[in-house]
Amino acid sequence: MQPIKRVVIAGGGTAGWMAAAAMAKLLGKNLDITLIESDDIGTVGVGEATIPTLVFFHKLLGISERDFMAATHGTYKLGIQFENWRDVGEDYLHAFGVTGKDCWAAGFQHFWLKGREMGISKPFGDYCLEHQAAVSSRFAHLPNNGLNYAFHMDAGLYAGFLRKIAEQHGCQRVEGKIAQVNTRSSDGFIDHLVLDNGQRIDGDLFIDCTGFRGLLIEQALHTGYEDWSHWLLNDSALALQTTAVEPPRAYTRSIAHDAGWQWRIPLQHRVGNGLVYSHHYLDDDAARQRLLDNVEGEHLTEPRLIRFKTGRRRKQWNKNCVALGLASGFLEPLESTSIHLIQQGIVRLLRMFPTQGICPADVLEYNRQTDFDVEHIRDFIILHYVVTNRHDSPYWQHCRNLDMPESLAHRIELFRETGRVFREGSELFDDSWQQVMIGQGLIPERYHPIVDTMSEQELRQFLGHIETNVANTVAGLPAHQQYLQQFVGKL
Ligand code: FAD
C-alpha cells in the first residue's frame, strides 16, 4: 500500500471547493492538496438551496455563519413549499423539524389521525414550528437548535468563499484544463494528470469533482453508471436569475407543471429560478417559454439549458479516485439533497482517510454507506411523483403508474394501511416521510390503537397544547427579512 500524501482535487465547483476547504482545514498539515479548475469550462452555476445538515458542516469547518451569509448573499430556509403537486391548486409545505411531539409508542401522526376523524385536528403543519415560521416568513436562531434551518445561497459566491478557506489552509489552486488522465499499467490507478499547457500534476489520491463529465471516475476509469431515469423522468433543466420583487421568503418554492416543476430560490439580492422537466414530454422551446411566463422580476441572465441523466456511478470510490458532486451521480434537486450528499461524501472520506494507503475494505465500506444514503433519498424523491392525485397530463399519468422501487412501495403501503413510518438506519429523512405522504394526499386507513387510551378531552388538550405552543413561539419571532438585516448587517 502506498501512503497518501498528495491529494489532487479535479474541479472547482461546489463539490471541489467543499472538499478542498474541509480537507485543508482538517488534514492540511499532513497533506499536499492541489485543486485544478478551468475558468474556460466554468461550473454548473446552480445548487443554491440546502438542508439543515450544512449548518453542521460549517461548524466542523469553524465557519462564522454571519460571514457566510454576508459572502453568499444568503437567506434562511425552513422548508420547501410544494405547489400543485398533490393536485392543481393545492399546496403543502415540507418543513425541517418535527411535527407534533415525539410520542414514545406511536408517532404523532396517529394522534393527529384520530383527531382528524373526530374533526378536531388542524392541518398537519399547524403542529410544526418550522412550518408555521416558514408560512409566516419569520425567523430567528433559537436556543438548542429550537428552529431547524438551512440556507439559500449564491453558488458562485459560495465556491469563492470556500476557496479562501481552502487557500488559507494551504490548498494550492491551479487554473487550467485537464487534457489527460494517466493511469498506471500495473494496477490501473491514476498516476498523474496533464493540463493542456503541458503541466503535469502527480497525486496519490484523486477526488473527481469535474461535474457531469466525470473526467476521472468515468472517462479514465470507466466505472459505469446506474441509470435511474425510468423512475425519475426529468432529464433537463433551464435556469434563470431574476431580480427580487418581494422580501425573501424563508422557504424554497417548488411549483409543479404539467411536465415537470419549477424552483424559486430567494436570495438577498436576486431570485434563482429554474424549470426541471422531461424533454420527451415538453420540448426545449416550450419549456423555455413556460419558464419565462412564470417568473417575476427583471431577467438577470438568459435561460440556460442543462441536460442530466438521473442515477449514480456504480462505485463512488474506485481505485484511488473518489467522485463527489455531479461526477458521482445526480438526483434532481427536488429536496435539495445534492450538496448534502457532497458533504456526506467528504465527511465519510475524512473518517476513512487512507493515510497508510488504500485498502479494499475501506473502499467497499465507503461505497456501501454511500449507496445506502443515495437509495433512500432516491425513494423519497420518487414518492412526490407516485403519490399524487394529478392525472391531468401524459407526464403525470406516467408518474402515477411508475413501477417504483420495492423499498418505496413497501413504505407507502405500510403508511397507507397502518400510518406507520420507520426510519431505517442512518437515513437522512425522518419526519419528512409523514409530512410529504400526508401533503401529497395519502391519509392512512388506521391509527395506532394506543391513541384510544386518551379520552376525547385529553386528545383535544394534547393537540391544542402543541398547536398553541407553536403559534406562541412563532408570534415571538421577527420577520425573516428584519432578522437578516440585523444579523448580516446589510441587505
Ligand atoms: P460543477 O459545478 O459542474 O463543477 C465542475 C468543476 O470541474 C468546474 O470547476 C469545472 O471548471 C471543472 N472541470 C471540469 N472539467 C475540467 C477539466 N477538463 N479541466 C479542469 N477543470 C475541469 N444541489 C443542491 O443541493 N440544491 C439545489 O438546489 C440544487 N439545484 C440544482 C439544480 C440543477 C438544475 C442541477 C443540475 C443541480 C442542482 N443541484 C442542487 C446540484 C448542485 O448544483 C451540485 O451538486 C453542485 O453544484 C456541485 O457541482 P459540482 O461541483 O459537482 O460540478
Side-chain angles (χ1 to χ4, degrees):
M1 291 202 301
Q2 179 183 330
I4 306 294
K5 287 266 177 223
R6 300 162 302 174
V7 175
V8 177
I9 300 171
T14 303
W17 283 115
M18 280 177 81
M23 287 199 166
K25 165 100 188 172
L26 300 167
L27 293 179
K29 288 202 172 78
N30 305 318
L31 296 172
D32 286 339
I33 302 172
T34 306
L35 182 144
I36 306 156
E37 66 178 329
S38 159
D39 291 343
D40 284 350
I41 295 175
T43 65
V44 73
V46 281
E48 307 200 316
T50 66
I51 60 171
T53 49
L54 195 65
V55 174
F56 299 102
F57 185 70
H58 287 174
K59 285 199 172 133
L60 188 69
L61 268 65
I63 288 175
S64 139
E65 192 170 300
R66 191 174 268 114
D67 292 351
F68 158 77
M69 294 294 279
T72 64
H73 299 178
T75 60
Y76 287 102
K77 171 179 172 186
L78 294 165
I80 305 173
Q81 177 156 282
F82 288 92
E83 302 171 24
N84 301 336
W85 278 85
R86 178 171 56 224
D87 217 334
V88 177
E90 295 189 36
D91 304 344
Y92 70 94
L93 195 137
H94 167 205
F96 305 137
V98 172
T99 310
K101 258 193 176 152
D102 213 9
C103 307
W104 63 270
F108 172 77
Q109 72 273 18
H110 295 277
F111 297 84
W112 178 80
L113 281 169
K114 177 157 183 196
R116 185 175 180 271
E117 273 185 24
M118 291 165 54
I120 60 170
S121 287
K122 295 281 174 56
F124 199 54
D126 286 17
Y127 303 94
C128 174
L129 180 59
E130 289 78 0
H131 183 284
Q132 294 305 88
V135 293
S136 45
S137 230
R138 290 169 182 270
F139 182 83
H141 290 96
L142 294 184
N144 303 320
N145 281 328
L147 193 65
N148 285 286
Y149 64 91
F151 315 104
H152 299 123
M153 65 193 184
D154 182 306
L157 296 176
Y158 187 48
F161 177 75
L162 293 172
R163 175 179 161 189
K164 277 193 196 139
I165 299 173
E167 289 183 330
Q168 268 160 18
H169 289 90
C171 170
Q172 199 203 338
R173 172 183 182 264
V174 177
E175 201 287 316
K177 198 164 166 186
I178 302 162
Q180 268 178 48
V181 180
N182 286 17
T183 53
R184 298 197 295 244
S185 55
S186 53
D187 53 11
F189 278 38
I190 298 173
D191 187 66
H192 64 272
L193 310 179
V194 183
L195 307 190
D196 62 357
N197 64 5
Q199 185 180 353
R200 171 181 163 140
I201 301 195
D202 288 86
D204 305 314
L205 180 69
F206 292 81
I207 317 284
D208 188 347
C209 301
T210 58
F212 287 125
R213 49 179 64 73
L215 200 63
L216 282 61
I217 193 85
E218 195 57 54
Q219 293 186 32
L221 296 183
H222 310 292
T223 303
Y225 196 77
E226 204 174 313
D227 183 347
W228 287 340
S229 52
H230 53 293
W231 285 320
L232 290 163
L233 308 186
N234 296 330
D235 55 14
S236 310
L238 281 161
L240 166 69
Q241 297 173 3
T242 56
T243 55
V245 296
E246 60 180 8
R249 301 184 190 206
Y251 55 86
T252 308
R253 289 175 70 190
S254 165
I255 307 155
H257 287 272
D258 57 5
W261 61 276
Q262 183 186 344
W263 78 76
R264 278 199 196 172
I265 299 177
L267 307 181
Q268 289 172 28
H269 60 311
R270 63 162 171 85
V271 176
N273 304 273
L275 186 72
V276 177
Y277 60 100
S278 159
H279 86 284
H280 297 294
Y281 286 92
L282 187 68
D283 69 49
D284 294 336
D285 290 340
R288 189 175 187 280
Q289 198 53 50
R290 179 70 57 86
L291 180 62
L292 292 173
D293 290 345
N294 287 284
V295 292
E296 294 169 330
E298 284 167 36
H299 301 178
L300 298 173
T301 57
E302 277 296 302
R304 200 162 50 82
L305 179 64
I306 302 166
R307 288 263 196 253
F308 55 81
K309 189 195 272 185
T310 296
R312 68 162 167 217
R313 213 59 70 196
R314 288 199 185 280
K315 292 177 190 166
Q316 316 289 315
W317 185 344
N318 188 9
K319 301 185 190 293
N320 61 341
C321 174
V322 177
L324 291 174
L326 301 173
S328 72
F330 185 64
L331 288 169
E332 63 182 69
L334 190 58
E335 286 284 353
S336 321
T337 43
S338 294
I339 294 172
H340 164 79
L341 285 169
I342 296 171
Q343 160 186 343
Q344 283 288 95
I346 294 168
V347 172
R348 186 167 290 137
L349 182 60
L350 288 173
R351 285 205 183 124
M352 299 184 179
F353 197 81
T355 310
Q356 307 302 325
I358 293 168
C359 75
D362 268 346
V363 176
L364 207 66
E365 184 57 24
Y366 182 96
N367 288 328
R368 195 187 66 79
Q369 289 185 16
T370 310
D371 285 352
F372 177 91
D373 283 354
V374 180
E375 283 167 23
H376 282 83
I377 294 174
R378 173 202 68 195
D379 282 7
F380 186 60
I381 293 176
I382 300 172
L383 170 72
H384 299 66
Y385 290 97
V386 293
V387 177
T388 172
N389 297 326
R390 284 196 73 151
H391 47 74
D392 51 291
S393 66
Y395 174 89
W396 284 103
Q397 282 158 16
H398 188 150
C399 291
R400 278 166 66 97
N401 295 312
L402 274 185
D403 192 10
M404 67 184 103
E406 265 178 43
S407 43
L408 175 60
H410 167 68
R411 252 188 219 262
I412 293 175
E413 243 359 82
L414 186 67
F415 190 70
R416 189 192 306 281
E417 286 179 17
T418 68
R420 287 180 195 133
V421 186
F422 294 101
R423 186 181 200 169
E424 213 181 318
S426 59
E427 76 169 302
L428 173 64
F429 292 108
D430 188 6
D431 196 70
S432 305
W433 283 96
Q434 288 94 286
Q435 287 195 39
V436 172
M437 286 197 271
I438 291 171
Q440 292 282 137
L442 180 63
I443 301 298
E445 289 161 14
R446 293 195 292 279
Y447 58 82
H448 196 292
I450 205 158
V451 177
D452 290 329
T453 57
M454 266 188 189
S455 68
E456 185 181 326
Q457 182 57 15
E458 284 169 336
L459 184 60
R460 252 180 221 284
Q461 276 176 2
F462 175 70
L463 293 171
H465 185 65
I466 298 172
E467 188 206 337
T468 310
N469 265 349
V470 166
N472 288 345
T473 310
V474 170
L477 297 173
H480 175 223
Q481 188 170 30
Q482 182 196 341
Y483 189 79
L484 270 175
Q485 268 158 355
Q486 280 164 4
F487 186 71
V488 184
K490 65 164 179 81
L491 281 193

